[in-house]
């Protein structure tokens, strides 16, 4: 299971991939997707859907399984109707609270204990940082979940808690005022002129939040796990610092640190450099060698991709190019990590500096593109003679 950019995924008929030739034919004989068909700012284009949040996993699985069932049993169907019905069903499970009830019945199975989460929050509070929670979930679910993860006194860690916020509308719509809830979760009628520590608020909007707190600009660091619903507006419209939580990152880092991956990537880069530099030799023997190199390079590219996922590869790259998800991630987040607990590895005052990656014209030697100026890449010293 993983997040995928919409045009990196392979189209499928149910549980079977569609051949490349058929996909290209669907797009008029080209791999190019016209801009008007691509998703808009929030990932909802006229004819392409971008799957990139946790709810995408059951939606993709259900779509694939139902289509496979219909095809296998010879049942005719309209793809538009099928997509709408499945999307509506998944939305209703979420919006009507059915999902929350299922999870609340078995917290041990669905929600992890968060000793490290408590450690991060407590550490920030001890260093005089102000914490707030903005969530689309209802208070009853948040309260039970946070008690399970962090402890019964979890509310003491936060200066304010906002539930059923209706993100991303919370960040752009000025119309909904805050409403206060009592300790039992019942709505109160009083007008909100200040946001008090220890109180629970429902709905509201970011503009009132900024006015009542005065927390603005780069002094605020906001963490979220959805690039559009959580981070995009806050960075682009309001100048907040943003941190993306990408749980899949843990597995990806483990894979790229394996000897098999590092060896494959290094040799792939070596072959790419050889092909680029030696292609001017056009005699029969040289052409044969070049063909063998191209074949081997393609095999290694596929092998490297399959180390992450045989169907989709890495969520961050389609072979050597960044995925759409990866580009959006870099655009809308200042930092990203697998879990908020990763912050325990750093001092509270630690500064994260951006890495300088070479542009094409800044890296004239193909070997330097691989190691960005260092000689610490495994197997690299063994290959220096190729240069």
């Amino acid at each position: 299971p993983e997040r995928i950019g919409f045009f990196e995924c392979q189209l499928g008929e149910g549980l079977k991939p569609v051949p490349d030739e058929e996909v290209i034919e669907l797009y008029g004989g080209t791999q190019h997707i016209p801009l008007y068909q691509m998703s808009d700012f929030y990932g909802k284009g006229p004819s392409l859907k971008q799957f990139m949040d946790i709810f995408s996993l059951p939606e993709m699985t259900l779509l694939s399984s139902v289509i496979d069932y219909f095809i296998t049993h010879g049942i005719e169907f309209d793809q538009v109707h099928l997509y709408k019905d499945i999307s509506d069903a998944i939305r209703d499970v979420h919006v009507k609270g059915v999902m929350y009830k299922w999870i609340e019945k078995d917290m041990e199975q669905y929600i992890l204990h968060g000793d490290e989460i408590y450690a991060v929050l407590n550490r920030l509070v001890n260093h005089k940082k102000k914490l707030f929670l903005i969530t689309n979930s209802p208070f009853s679910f948040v309260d039970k979940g946070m008690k399970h993860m962090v402890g019964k006194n979890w509310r003491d860690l936060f200066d304010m808690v906002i539930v059923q916020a209706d993100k991303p509308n919370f960040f752009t719509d000025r119309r909904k005022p805050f409403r206060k809830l009592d300790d039992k979760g019942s709505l109160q009628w009083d007008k909100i002129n200040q946001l008090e520590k220890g109180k629970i608020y429902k709905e509201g909007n970011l503009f009132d939040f900024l006015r009542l707190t005065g927390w603005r600009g780069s002094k605020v660091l906001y963490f979220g796990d959805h690039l559009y619903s959580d981070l995009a507006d806050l960075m682009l419209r309001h100048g907040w610092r943003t941190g993306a939580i990408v749980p899949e990152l843990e597995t990806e880092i483990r894979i790229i640190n394996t000897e098999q991956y590092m060896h494959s990537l290094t040799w792939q880069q070596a072959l790419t450099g050889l092909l680029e530099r030696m292609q001017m030799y056009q005699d029969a023997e040289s052409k044969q060698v070049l063909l063998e190199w191209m074949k081997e390079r393609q095999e290694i590219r596929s092998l490297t991709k399959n180390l992450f996922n045989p169907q989709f590869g890495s969520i961050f790259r389609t072979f050597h190019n960044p995925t759409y998800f990866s580009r959006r991630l870099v655009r809308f987040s200042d930092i990203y990590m697998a879990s908020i607990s990763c912050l325990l590895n750093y001092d509270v005052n630690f500064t994260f500096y951006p890495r300088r990656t070479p542009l094409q014209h800044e890296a004239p030697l193909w070997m330097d593109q691989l190691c960005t100026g260092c000689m610490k890449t495994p197997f690299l010293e063994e290959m220096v003679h190729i240069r």
Side-chain angles (χ1 to χ4, degrees), residues 78-133:
D78 186 301
Q79 296 96 326
V80 176
H81 296 331
L82 179 64
Y83 170 75
K84 184 179 185 302
D85 288 349
I86 290 178
S87 297
D88 288 348
I90 290 177
R91 185 198 64 229
D92 288 346
V93 167
H94 184 199
V95 173
K96 293 181 178 179
V98 178
M99 180 192 70
Y100 300 121
K101 294 177 182 177
W102 289 340
I103 295 176
E104 287 177 20
K105 289 179 180 178
D106 195 350
M107 288 283 186
E108 288 290 341
Q109 179 178 348
Y110 296 110
I111 298 182
L112 299 174
H113 287 285
D115 294 339
E116 292 182 337
I117 302 299
Y118 172 80
V120 173
L121 299 176
N122 190 57
R123 186 183 187 193
L124 292 172
V125 170
N126 289 338
H127 283 79
K128 310 301 181 185
K129 307 297 182 183
K130 295 184 180 295
L131 306 183
F132 61 93
L133 175 65

Side-chain angles (χ1 to χ4, degrees), residues 234-267:
L234 292 175
M235 168 171 276
L236 299 180
R237 297 173 185 265
H238 302 285
W240 284 13
R241 297 292 191 187
T242 54
I245 304 301
V246 187
E248 299 92 339
L249 188 62
E250 183 177 354
T251 300
E252 297 248 349
I253 290 176
R254 185 169 64 249
I255 292 170
I256 66 176
N257 282 322
T258 61
E259 183 172 310
Q260 182 182 13
Y261 174 83
M262 290 187 285
H263 186 279
S264 297
L265 181 63
T266 305
W267 185 236

Side-chain angles (χ1 to χ4, degrees), residues 130-146:
K130 295 184 180 295
L131 306 183
F132 61 93
L133 175 65
I134 303 177
T135 175
N136 286 348
S137 300
F139 172 69
S140 60
F141 179 75
V142 174
D143 188 46
K144 291 177 182 177
M146 291 296 283

Side-chain angles (χ1 to χ4, degrees), residues 270-336:
L271 287 171
T272 302
L274 287 169
L275 286 165
E276 191 172 66
R277 294 165 70 108
M278 302 301 177
Q279 60 186 305
M280 71 284 296
Y281 297 102
Q282 292 297 307
D283 58 275
E285 185 178 359
S286 296
K287 284 183 176 180
Q288 183 60 37
V289 172
L290 289 171
L291 286 173
E292 291 175 1
W293 283 348
M294 284 190 284
K295 179 181 178 182
E296 184 177 1
R297 177 177 177 270
Q298 186 58 42
E299 291 173 352
I300 295 176
R301 276 159 55 91
S302 297
L303 171 65
T304 306
K305 170 190 171 183
N306 291 341
L307 290 175
F308 295 95
N309 183 294
Q311 282 73 41
F312 301 110
S314 166
I315 69 169
F316 296 99
R317 287 189 183 275
T318 53
F319 294 117
H320 61 281
N321 288 321
T323 59
Y324 187 80
F325 171 78
S326 183
R327 294 198 299 273
R328 298 290 85 187
L329 178 66
V330 172
R331 180 69 181 91
F332 298 139
S333 64
D334 291 289
I335 57 174
Y336 61 91

Side-chain angles (χ1 to χ4, degrees), residues 11 18-32:
L11 294 181
V18 175
D20 291 346
E21 296 77 17
E22 189 173 336
V23 176
I24 292 173
E25 185 180 348
L26 285 171
Y27 288 96
T30 175
Q31 297 183 34
H32 174 70

Side-chain angles (χ1 to χ4, degrees), residues 159-198:
D159 287 82
M160 59 199 64
V161 176
I162 301 167
V163 299
Q164 293 177 272
D166 189 29
K167 298 180 292 182
N169 295 327
F170 178 88
F171 302 126
T172 57
D173 191 342
R174 298 172 180 263
R175 291 173 296 179
K176 288 185 180 179
F178 285 107
R179 294 195 67 175
K180 188 186 297 183
L181 286 81
D182 62 21
D183 291 336
K184 296 181 180 179
S186 299
L187 285 171
Q188 304 297 291
W189 293 96
D190 41 326
K191 182 179 177 63
I192 305 302
N193 295 311
Q194 60 178 331
L195 298 176
E196 304 174 62
K197 181 177 174 61

